[in-house]
Amino acid sequence: MSKVDAKRRCPWCLGSEQYLRYHDEEWGVPVHDDRRLFEFLILEGAQAGLSWSTILNKRNNYRKAFGRFDPAKVARFGARDIKRLLADSRIVRNRLKIESAIGNARAFLEVRREFGSFDAYLWGFVGGRPLQSIRRGMKQVPSRTPVSDSISRDLKRRGFRFVGSTIVYAFMQAVGVVNDHLTGCFRRAQLRARPRSRSSAKLRRK
């Protein structure tokens, strides 16, 4: 067994090489780029009722279909684009999810106008620093938390859809708002030791 194979990881990622790479390279890494945040917000909404592996397999197709997740481009999508997306077998062809992605892009831009960036808005809920959880097993990982409840309520108030608390918590995990790698996972310590990024949430307060 190689040194890479011998590393202890969160058990959910052991089913495929794709999951393994996503776990090791992306999951839980703090994201402060608005386009990446928009990407994860849309993908997590698309995943509702499906497996994350299904969405990962379609991720590149989503990037092509949704203007490389430029929220300004997606916000301009109209009836013709909806028809195009509903005919695209490379993505999840669910009208409600497609329409919500477009509506969420418009709401996303409104948040940026108010806060300067979606990054500043999102990370403001946790004071600009990732929450460091202590989970020893998968049964201890919640599907929602008071913080995800608060974010979900506020997003809905702002017109976002497919942002229930469970979806929001998965989003928080994905973009590093919470470090939910298990205590025995090699990535938990690596992410905890990362230098704090200069997020726009911090910059706006100066």
Side-chain angles (χ1 to χ4, degrees):
M1 180 178 288
S2 69
K3 290 183 179 180
V4 173
D5 291 335
K7 289 178 180 176
R8 294 183 63 187
R9 294 174 167 86
C10 301
W12 62 261
C13 76
L14 303 178
S16 71
E17 283 297 319
Q18 186 181 49
Y19 260 4
L20 202 70
R21 287 195 303 273
Y22 174 66
H23 169 275
D24 288 4
E25 298 171 10
E26 291 190 81
W27 195 72
V29 176
V31 174
H32 294 290
D33 177 77
D34 268 13
R35 189 177 293 203
R36 288 289 305 282
L37 290 171
F38 180 65
E39 175 178 357
F40 276 110
L41 189 66
I42 297 307
L43 293 180
E44 291 292 351
Q47 189 235 343
L50 303 170
S51 69
W52 185 238
S53 62
T54 297
I55 302 304
L56 282 182
N57 286 331
K58 296 177 181 290
R59 188 177 186 180
N60 285 333
N61 299 328
Y62 265 92
R63 285 173 174 160
K64 295 173 184 176
F66 283 88
R68 304 202 71 79
F69 291 110
D70 180 341
K73 288 183 179 179
V74 178
R76 293 194 295 269
F77 282 6
R80 183 177 296 178
D81 295 289
I82 293 173
K83 184 177 180 179
R84 168 180 61 84
L85 293 168
L86 286 171
D88 192 343
S89 62
R90 300 170 303 167
I91 66 170
V92 177
R93 292 181 289 180
N94 179 295
R95 178 178 287 274
L96 290 177
K97 291 179 179 180
I98 289 170
E99 291 179 345
S100 74
I102 298 169
N104 287 353
R106 295 165 184 165
F108 192 96
L109 295 180
E110 287 298 320
V111 168
R112 284 212 308 206
R113 278 189 278 271
E114 181 177 345
F115 290 85
S117 68
F118 191 84
D119 168 51
Y121 164 77
L122 176 67
W123 285 89
F125 283 92
V126 292
R129 307 190 69 165
L131 303 174
Q132 302 293 330
S133 66
I134 302 176
R135 326 277 192 205
R136 293 179 173 82
M138 292 303 297
K139 290 183 178 180
Q140 295 181 351
V141 180
S143 61
R144 59 191 290 178
T145 65
V147 177
S148 70
D149 289 346
S150 295
I151 297 173
S152 174
R153 282 194 302 269
D154 198 66
L155 288 172
K156 289 177 181 178
R157 181 179 67 82
R158 295 174 181 276
F160 288 82
R161 291 186 289 167
F162 280 91
V163 288
S165 188
T166 298
I167 291 174
V168 168
Y169 193 66
F171 172 66
M172 291 169 59
Q173 293 172 311
V175 301
V177 172
V178 58
N179 180 2
D180 251 353
H181 285 277
L182 302 184
T183 54
C185 176
F186 83 99
R187 284 294 281 159
R188 181 177 187 274
Q190 286 183 349
L191 291 175
R192 189 170 187 178
R194 283 171 62 100
R196 184 179 175 184
S197 301
R198 284 175 61 85
S199 75
S200 56
K202 185 175 182 179
L203 291 172
R204 285 186 77 248
R205 290 197 296 270
K206 289 186 174 183

